[in-house]
Protein backbone atom coordinates (compact mmCIF):
# COMPACT_ATOMS: atom_id res chain seq x y z
CA UNK A 1 0.00 0.00 0.00
CA UNK A 2 1.23 3.49 -0.78
CA UNK A 3 2.11 5.79 2.09
CA UNK A 4 -0.52 8.36 3.01
CA UNK A 5 0.01 12.02 2.12
CA UNK A 6 0.40 14.45 5.00
CA UNK A 7 -3.17 15.67 4.46
CA UNK A 8 -4.50 12.12 4.57
CA UNK A 9 -2.57 11.43 7.75
CA UNK A 10 -3.93 14.58 9.39
CA UNK A 11 -7.48 13.70 8.39
CA UNK A 12 -7.21 10.18 9.76
CA UNK A 13 -5.52 11.36 12.95
CA UNK A 14 -8.30 13.83 13.58
CA UNK A 15 -10.85 11.00 13.27
CA UNK A 16 -8.98 9.08 15.97
CA UNK A 17 -8.73 12.18 18.14
CA UNK A 18 -12.51 12.61 17.87
CA UNK A 19 -12.90 9.09 19.24
CA UNK A 20 -10.55 9.92 22.13
CA UNK A 21 -12.50 13.06 22.96
CA UNK A 22 -15.59 10.91 23.49
CA UNK A 23 -13.74 8.03 25.17
CA UNK A 24 -15.16 6.61 28.41
CA UNK A 25 -13.35 3.26 28.28
CA UNK A 26 -11.52 3.64 31.58
CA UNK A 27 -11.92 5.58 34.80
CA UNK A 28 -9.40 8.28 33.78
CA UNK A 29 -12.24 9.79 31.76
CA UNK A 30 -13.74 10.92 35.08
CA UNK A 31 -10.71 12.91 36.23
CA UNK A 32 -9.16 14.25 33.02
CA UNK A 33 -9.49 17.90 32.04
CA UNK A 34 -8.30 17.36 28.51
CA UNK A 35 -7.38 14.59 26.14
CA UNK A 36 -3.70 14.78 25.23
CA UNK A 37 -3.57 13.33 21.75
CA UNK A 38 -0.44 14.50 19.95
CA UNK A 39 1.89 17.30 18.95
CA UNK A 40 4.50 17.91 16.31
CA UNK A 41 4.07 16.81 12.71
CA UNK A 42 3.03 13.50 11.19
CA UNK A 43 6.54 12.79 9.92
CA UNK A 44 6.81 9.21 8.64
CA UNK A 45 10.45 9.21 9.71
CA UNK A 46 10.24 9.82 13.46
CA UNK A 47 7.74 9.25 16.25
CA UNK A 48 8.22 9.51 20.01
CA UNK A 49 6.02 7.67 22.47
CA UNK A 50 6.06 8.91 26.06
CA UNK A 51 4.18 7.80 29.14
CA UNK A 52 1.07 9.78 30.00
CA UNK A 53 0.00 13.39 30.41
CA UNK A 54 1.09 15.18 33.58
CA UNK A 55 -0.47 18.20 35.26
CA UNK A 56 0.36 20.81 32.57
CA UNK A 57 -0.39 18.47 29.70
CA UNK A 58 -3.82 17.72 31.18
CA UNK A 59 -4.44 21.46 31.54
CA UNK A 60 -3.31 22.34 28.02
CA UNK A 61 -4.25 19.25 26.03
CA UNK A 62 -0.74 18.89 24.54
CA UNK A 63 2.02 16.37 25.28
CA UNK A 64 5.33 17.32 26.87
CA UNK A 65 4.63 20.97 27.67
CA UNK A 66 6.03 20.94 31.24
CA UNK A 67 9.67 20.88 32.38
CA UNK A 68 10.28 17.42 30.95
CA UNK A 69 8.91 18.59 27.61
CA UNK A 70 11.21 21.60 27.56
CA UNK A 71 14.16 19.32 28.17
CA UNK A 72 12.95 17.00 25.43
CA UNK A 73 12.87 19.95 23.01
CA UNK A 74 16.46 20.84 23.96
CA UNK A 75 17.57 17.25 23.38
CA UNK A 76 16.05 17.29 19.88
CA UNK A 77 17.43 20.77 19.20
CA UNK A 78 20.96 19.57 20.00
CA UNK A 79 20.87 17.62 16.73
CA UNK A 80 18.83 20.15 14.78
CA UNK A 81 15.43 18.45 15.14
CA UNK A 82 12.32 20.36 16.17
CA UNK A 83 8.84 19.38 17.17
CA UNK A 84 7.34 21.77 14.62
CA UNK A 85 9.08 20.20 11.64
CA UNK A 86 10.51 16.79 12.40
CA UNK A 87 8.83 14.63 15.01
CA UNK A 88 5.40 13.24 15.83
CA UNK A 89 4.92 13.12 19.62
CA UNK A 90 2.33 11.15 21.56
CA UNK A 91 1.91 9.13 24.74
CA UNK A 92 0.96 5.63 25.79
CA UNK A 93 -2.07 7.06 27.63
CA UNK A 94 -4.12 9.98 26.37
CA UNK A 95 -5.49 10.91 29.82
CA UNK A 96 -3.65 11.92 32.97
CA UNK A 97 -3.48 9.36 35.76
CA UNK A 98 -4.32 11.07 39.08
CA UNK A 99 -1.16 12.35 40.82
CA UNK A 100 0.89 11.08 37.87
CA UNK A 101 0.82 7.51 39.15
CA UNK A 102 1.94 4.79 36.75
CA UNK A 103 -0.63 3.72 34.18
CA UNK A 104 -2.58 0.60 35.20
CA UNK A 105 -2.75 -2.41 32.88
CA UNK A 106 -6.45 -1.91 32.12
CA UNK A 107 -5.81 1.75 31.25
CA UNK A 108 -3.03 0.80 28.85
CA UNK A 109 -5.23 -1.88 27.32
CA UNK A 110 -8.11 0.55 26.87
CA UNK A 111 -5.88 3.21 25.29
CA UNK A 112 -3.93 0.90 23.00
CA UNK A 113 -6.59 1.28 20.30
CA UNK A 114 -5.58 4.94 19.88
CA UNK A 115 -1.82 4.52 20.03
CA UNK A 116 -1.92 1.63 17.60
CA UNK A 117 -3.97 3.75 15.19
CA UNK A 118 -1.40 6.55 15.45
CA UNK A 119 1.40 4.11 14.60
CA UNK A 120 -0.61 2.62 11.75
CA UNK A 121 -1.34 6.04 10.24
CA UNK A 122 2.18 7.49 10.54
CA UNK A 123 4.07 4.23 9.89
CA UNK A 124 7.24 5.81 11.24
CA UNK A 125 10.65 4.51 10.24
CA UNK A 126 11.91 5.18 13.76
CA UNK A 127 9.98 5.02 17.04
CA UNK A 128 11.60 6.36 20.20
CA UNK A 129 10.29 4.59 23.30
CA UNK A 130 10.66 7.23 25.95
CA UNK A 131 10.83 5.65 29.42
CA UNK A 132 9.80 2.31 30.86
CA UNK A 133 6.05 2.64 30.31
CA UNK A 134 6.43 3.05 26.54
CA UNK A 135 9.03 0.28 26.44
CA UNK A 136 6.73 -2.17 28.21
CA UNK A 137 3.76 -1.32 26.01
CA UNK A 138 5.64 -1.94 22.78
CA UNK A 139 8.46 -4.36 23.63
CA UNK A 140 6.91 -6.23 26.56
CA UNK A 141 9.50 -7.48 29.01
CA UNK A 142 12.55 -6.57 26.94
CA UNK A 143 14.29 -5.32 30.08
CA UNK A 144 14.64 -2.14 32.11
CA UNK A 145 15.44 1.10 30.35
CA UNK A 146 18.88 1.50 31.92
CA UNK A 147 19.93 -1.80 30.33
CA UNK A 148 18.35 -1.47 26.92
CA UNK A 149 18.41 2.27 26.13
CA UNK A 150 20.45 3.24 23.13
CA UNK A 151 19.91 -0.11 21.41
CA UNK A 152 17.97 -0.54 18.20
CA UNK A 153 15.13 -3.06 18.23
CA UNK A 154 13.67 -4.52 15.06
CA UNK A 155 9.94 -4.49 14.43
CA UNK A 156 9.87 -8.26 14.95
CA UNK A 157 10.87 -7.84 18.60
CA UNK A 158 7.76 -5.78 19.36
CA UNK A 159 4.79 -7.46 21.07
CA UNK A 160 2.45 -5.38 18.89
CA UNK A 161 2.38 -4.40 15.23
CA UNK A 162 4.69 -1.44 14.61
CA UNK A 163 4.48 -1.64 10.82
CA UNK A 164 8.16 -2.23 10.29
CA UNK A 165 9.50 0.54 12.53
CA UNK A 166 12.92 0.32 14.13
CA UNK A 167 12.74 1.27 17.77
CA UNK A 168 15.10 2.74 20.31
CA UNK A 169 14.35 2.96 24.04
CA UNK A 170 15.57 6.26 25.51
CA UNK A 171 15.54 7.71 29.01
CA UNK A 172 12.52 9.74 29.98
CA UNK A 173 13.35 13.44 30.36
CA UNK A 174 11.74 13.43 33.83
CA UNK A 175 14.33 10.88 34.86
CA UNK A 176 17.09 13.13 33.50
CA UNK A 177 15.68 16.03 35.53
CA UNK A 178 15.88 13.90 38.67
CA UNK A 179 19.41 12.70 37.82
CA UNK A 180 21.02 15.93 36.82
CA UNK A 181 24.69 14.92 36.79
CA UNK A 182 26.71 15.84 33.70
CA UNK A 183 29.29 13.17 34.44
CA UNK A 184 30.62 11.13 31.58
CA UNK A 185 28.63 7.87 31.53
CA UNK A 186 25.73 9.41 33.50
CA UNK A 187 22.13 9.46 32.24
CA UNK A 188 22.36 12.88 30.53
CA UNK A 189 25.63 12.00 28.85
CA UNK A 190 24.08 8.74 27.61
CA UNK A 191 21.05 10.60 26.29
CA UNK A 192 23.29 12.88 24.26
CA UNK A 193 24.98 9.83 22.75
CA UNK A 194 21.61 8.28 21.96
CA UNK A 195 20.19 11.36 20.26
CA UNK A 196 23.24 11.56 18.01
CA UNK A 197 22.83 7.92 17.00
CA UNK A 198 19.12 8.59 16.37
CA UNK A 199 20.00 11.55 14.14
CA UNK A 200 22.44 9.43 12.13
CA UNK A 201 19.70 6.90 11.40
CA UNK A 202 17.16 9.65 10.77
CA UNK A 203 19.41 11.14 8.11
CA UNK A 204 19.55 7.81 6.29
CA UNK A 205 15.75 7.61 5.92
N1 LIG B 1 5.64 12.90 30.43
C1 LIG B 1 5.19 12.11 29.45
O1 LIG B 1 5.54 10.95 29.34
N2 LIG B 1 4.36 12.63 28.56
C2 LIG B 1 3.95 13.89 28.59
O2 LIG B 1 3.20 14.27 27.73
C3 LIG B 1 4.44 14.70 29.63
C4 LIG B 1 5.28 14.18 30.54
N1 LIG C 1 12.90 4.79 34.93
C1 LIG C 1 11.96 5.14 34.05
O1 LIG C 1 10.78 4.81 34.17
N2 LIG C 1 12.31 5.88 32.99
C2 LIG C 1 13.59 6.26 32.76
O2 LIG C 1 13.84 6.92 31.79
C3 LIG C 1 14.56 5.86 33.70
C4 LIG C 1 14.20 5.12 34.78
Amino acid sequence: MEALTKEEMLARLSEIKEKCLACQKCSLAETRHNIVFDDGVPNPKLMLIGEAPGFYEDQQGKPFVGKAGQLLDRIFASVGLTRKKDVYICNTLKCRPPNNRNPLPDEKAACWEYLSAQIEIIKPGIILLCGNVAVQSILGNAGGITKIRGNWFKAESAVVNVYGARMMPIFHPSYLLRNDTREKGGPKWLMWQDIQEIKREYDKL
Side-chain angles (χ1 to χ4, degrees):
M1 209 187 72
E2 272 185 53
L4 301 177
T5 65
K6 194 170 165 192
E7 288 67 33
E8 288 166 335
M9 286 195 263
L10 288 168
R12 286 201 50 203
L13 288 166
S14 83
E15 282 169 26
I16 307 300
K17 184 174 178 181
E18 287 300 313
K19 283 198 193 180
C20 284
L21 290 170
C23 185
Q24 301 285 335
K25 281 163 60 178
C26 81
S27 66
L28 298 181
E30 292 161 27
T31 49
R32 71 170 177 242
H33 294 98
N34 281 294
I35 292 283
V36 175
F37 187 69
D38 65 4
D39 198 24
V41 284
N43 180 359
K45 289 188 184 180
L46 184 60
M47 173 169 181
L48 177 135
I49 305 174
E51 181 171 329
F55 176 84
Y56 294 103
E57 290 78 19
D58 176 59
Q59 293 288 317
Q60 295 181 34
K62 256 201 201 188
F64 286 103
V65 292
K67 278 208 156 152
Q70 290 160 21
L71 176 55
L72 184 64
D73 286 343
R74 291 202 296 279
I75 292 164
F76 280 129
S78 75
V79 292
L81 296 173
T82 71
R83 202 191 281 230
K84 281 215 175 77
K85 289 200 317 317
D86 307 303
V87 54
Y88 184 77
I89 296 182
C90 61
N91 283 311
T92 308
L93 293 194
K94 311 308 184 216
C95 295
R96 182 188 182 210
N99 303 314
N100 301 340
R101 64 156 169 72
N102 278 335
L104 300 174
D106 70 304
E107 294 162 354
K108 288 203 270 185
C111 221
W112 169 245
E113 173 189 348
Y114 308 124
L115 178 57
S116 72
Q118 287 170 308
I119 299 170
E120 198 253 338
I121 293 165
I122 310 272
K123 293 196 175 66
I126 298 171
I127 299 179
L128 304 179
L129 302 170
C130 186
N132 273 322
V133 170
V135 167
Q136 277 159 20
S137 295
I138 306 291
L139 294 178
N141 297 319
I145 192 106
T146 47
K147 283 231 176 80
I148 64 172
R149 56 130 282 282
N151 291 296
W152 289 110
F153 286 79
K154 290 196 179 126
E156 296 75 48
S157 46
V159 294
V160 292
N161 191 353
V162 294
Y163 301 89
R166 295 180 76 204
M167 296 156 287
M168 184 190 282
I170 57 171
F171 283 131
H172 196 285
S174 307
Y175 175 76
L176 301 179
L177 290 170
R178 294 194 302 272
N179 294 271
D180 202 21
T181 159
R182 299 207 157 259
E183 254 167 59
K184 191 169 175 194
K188 269 200 170 161
W189 184 86
L190 292 169
M191 178 60 117
W192 259 261
Q193 308 298 307
D194 294 348
I195 194 66
Q196 287 173 42
E197 166 63 14
I198 291 157
K199 182 60 163 43
R200 282 192 287 273
E201 285 305 301
Y202 179 91
D203 286 339
K204 291 184 200 160
L205 294 176

